[in-house]
């Protein structure tokens, strides 16, 4: 049975649904406050962790929501649905399942993809002691990404700059230049930052505390905003020769894609959660995926993300424009229609099942 009540209207409501579902199972919440920031209603912002099953189990699964704040509407619902349903009983002596709810609570509460540092958390996991990754295409196209205003003429000019870049370099390069990650433009999009942010440190700590010591481990990081409406793409970032990629292909019945292999709706990225999962777990047989659900066409997602960046730079909450853009970005990353929500929960359950079978299997 599918119950859409797990989808919440706000970060605070999502947290409450998740916490109640955890308590109903008798689980203790490990609540971690990001004390440097508050939500739009001055509410405290937490990332919450629960663990099911034997904490020393050889097999462990970590599920993360709201890496990209506002995408947490989807991931939180999938996590709460998991806690409410029979799949939670899959955890036991040989399998521990850990849920990290709202790893970027600021972005979730404020309706943003980024965190409090304007950082795209899923580009923030790089080695900041080494030279930062370069993305020369971004600088070329920057005036299309960060427009002077949201007036029609300014947006037209910005879109023209992007189209021209595409004509010169190919339209595949447009997605790569914009979304791959960049480390120089703190007021821009897909900014990876210059230091490990709060959510970065939190995720590392959760992996170290709950997953280290496993023999086999899997990560499902929930995302939205890429690919066909309601479809959940199983995205990996592995080279095709990587044993982890072969494992993912087996576990997910050939459905796993690779950003490096080129069959994913995502460009190849730098500094992602998948990478840090492996980095913090040396010697563990680890398999990491992003489960990415499509919403609206990618040009609309980009326009909403660009507009949201603009209002946070130049406007204040309460203005007409602010409210309009907040609606726009919410639609870009979260669909209110029941058919979409149903697709999210059905696919999530399937992917969780396949992951558990994979963890318990021989590969
Ligand atoms: Zn995302």
């Amino acid at each position: 049975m599918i119950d859409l009540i797990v989808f919440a209207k706000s970060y605070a409501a999502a947290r409450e649904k998740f916490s109640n579902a955890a308590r109903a199972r008798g689980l203790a919440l490990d609540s971690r406050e990001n004390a440097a920031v508050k939500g739009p209603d001055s509410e405290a912002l937490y990332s919450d962790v629960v663990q099911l099953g034997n904490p020393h189990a050889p097999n462990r699964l970590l599920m993360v929501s709201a890496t990209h704040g506002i995408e947490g509407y989807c991931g939180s619902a999938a996590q709460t649905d998991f806690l409410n349903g029979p799949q939670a009983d899959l955890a036991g002596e040989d399998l521990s399942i850990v849920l990290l709810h709202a790893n970027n609570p600021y972005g979730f509460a404020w309706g943003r993809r980024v965190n409090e540092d304007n950082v795209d958390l899923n580009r923030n996991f790089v080695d900041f002691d080494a030279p930062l990754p370069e993305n020369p295409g971004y600088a070329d196209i920057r005036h299309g990404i960060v427009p002077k205003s949201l007036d029609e003429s300014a947006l037209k000019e910005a879109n023209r700059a992007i189209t021209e870049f595409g004509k010169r370099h190919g339209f595949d390069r447009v997605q790569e230049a914009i979304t791959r990650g960049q480390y120089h433009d703190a007021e821009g999009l897909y900014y990876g930052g210059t230091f490990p942010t709060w959510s970065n440190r939190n995720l590392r700590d959760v992996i170290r505390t709950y997953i280290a010591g496993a023999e086999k481990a899997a990560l499902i990081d929930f995302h939205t905003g890429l690919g066909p409406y309601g479809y959940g793409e199983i995205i990996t970032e592995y080279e095709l020769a990587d044993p982890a990629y072969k494992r993912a292909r087996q576990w997910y019945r050939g459905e796993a894609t690779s950003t490096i292999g080129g069959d994913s709706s995502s460009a190849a990225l730098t500094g992602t959660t998948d990478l840090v999962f492996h980095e913090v777990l040396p010697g563990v047989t680890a398999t990491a995926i992003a489960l990415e659900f499509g919403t609206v066409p990618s040009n609309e997602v980009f326009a909403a993300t660009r507009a949201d960046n603009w209002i946070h730079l130049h406007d204040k909450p309460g203005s007409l424009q602010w409210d309009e853009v907040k609606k726009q970005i919410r639609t870009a990353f979260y669909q209110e229609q029941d058919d979409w929500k149903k697709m999210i929960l059905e696919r999530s359950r399937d992917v969780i099942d396949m992951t558990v079978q994979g963890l318990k299997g021989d590969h």
Side-chain angles (χ1 to χ4, degrees):
M1 201 196 77
I2 295 272
D3 191 347
L4 302 182
I5 195 133
V6 292
F7 288 90
K9 293 245 178 278
S10 66
Y11 156 76
R15 180 170 189 241
E16 197 181 328
K17 285 176 193 286
F18 177 81
S19 307
N20 288 343
R23 284 195 199 101
R25 287 216 163 250
L27 301 168
L29 264 92
D30 171 5
S31 298
R32 297 147 171 253
E33 185 181 2
N34 184 351
V37 283
K38 297 274 185 241
D41 299 317
S42 305
E43 72 270 34
L45 300 176
Y46 293 89
S47 161
D48 298 285
V49 188
V50 296
Q51 181 167 37
L52 297 87
N54 172 13
H56 305 289
N59 305 308
R60 304 198 208 159
L61 165 60
L62 174 63
M63 292 193 257
V64 179
S65 65
T67 293
H68 288 138
I70 193 167
E71 300 174 19
Y73 286 106
C74 163
S76 169
Q79 288 175 322
T80 300
D81 180 64
F82 167 82
L83 286 173
N84 284 343
Q87 278 191 316
D89 298 323
L90 292 168
E93 205 37 44
D94 63 345
L95 172 70
S96 165
I97 300 181
V98 178
L99 308 181
L100 167 52
H101 184 263
N103 191 36
N104 168 9
Y106 168 91
F108 196 167
W110 282 93
R112 306 204 70 192
R113 197 174 161 281
V114 292
N115 73 1
E116 61 277 12
D117 305 301
N118 193 42
V119 164
D120 180 334
L121 180 59
N122 207 29
R123 309 292 183 275
N124 185 233
F125 296 98
V126 294
D127 177 1
F128 289 105
D129 295 328
L132 292 169
E134 291 294 337
N135 179 355
Y138 181 90
D140 273 8
I141 208 173
R142 202 252 178 195
H143 51 303
I145 299 171
V146 188
K148 290 190 191 75
S149 83
L150 297 184
D151 295 351
E152 210 184 310
S153 64
L155 290 182
K156 239 185 193 161
E157 197 185 311
N159 291 340
R160 198 178 313 123
I162 292 170
T163 307
E164 273 164 22
F165 180 94
K167 281 185 190 153
R168 270 202 315 279
H169 302 285
F171 282 90
D172 280 357
R173 287 285 317 283
V174 172
Q175 186 190 9
E176 193 201 353
I178 297 175
T179 68
R180 175 185 177 78
Q182 54 85 14
Y183 297 84
H184 301 293
D185 181 14
E187 294 192 341
L189 298 187
Y190 301 90
Y191 174 55
T194 53
F195 61 92
T197 61
W198 183 86
S199 302
N200 176 328
R201 287 179 277 121
N202 189 50
L203 177 64
R204 284 177 193 274
D205 187 66
V206 168
I207 299 171
R208 246 181 252 121
T209 305
Y210 292 96
I211 310 296
E215 288 166 26
K216 284 171 81 176
L219 169 71
I220 303 174
D221 188 19
F222 287 91
H223 289 263
T224 58
L226 257 187
Y229 176 87
Y231 175 68
E233 182 184 340
I234 298 166
I235 304 179
T236 75
E237 290 162 24
Y238 299 122
E239 302 276 356
L240 302 186
D242 193 320
Y245 177 69
K246 292 181 180 157
R247 201 157 50 237
R249 296 286 293 183
Q250 238 151 6
W251 286 14
Y252 301 111
R253 300 172 202 144
E255 283 185 50
T257 60
S258 161
T259 55
I260 297 175
D263 60 346
S264 171
S265 63
S266 169
L269 313 175
T270 52
T272 64
T273 37
D274 286 22
L275 300 182
V276 82
F277 194 65
H278 283 265
E279 189 189 310
V280 179
L281 298 172
V284 177
T285 303
T287 313
I289 64 159
L291 183 53
E292 175 80 64
F293 290 98
T295 48
V296 295
S298 58
N299 59 330
E300 290 176 36
V301 174
F302 171 69
T305 310
R306 181 172 65 180
D308 184 63
N309 187 54
W310 194 93
I311 60 163
H312 278 266
L313 285 172
H314 302 293
D315 204 349
K316 292 262 178 315
S319 78
L320 197 62
Q321 182 169 249
W322 183 281
D323 293 344
E324 270 171 22
V325 170
K326 283 300 167 191
K327 263 187 224 143
Q328 188 187 356
I329 190 166
R330 186 174 161 123
T331 303
F333 291 101
Y334 176 47
Q335 293 282 291
E336 297 275 5
Q337 298 87 312
D338 285 356
D339 67 329
W340 189 83
K341 293 177 179 174
K342 203 161 160 265
M343 289 167 87
I344 301 313
L345 297 185
E346 282 173 351
R347 177 65 162 170
S348 297
R349 290 177 183 185
D350 269 356
V351 170
I352 292 167
D353 245 349
M354 289 190 272
T355 308
V356 167
Q357 295 320 314
L359 276 170
K360 291 182 166 182
D362 297 331
H363 296 286

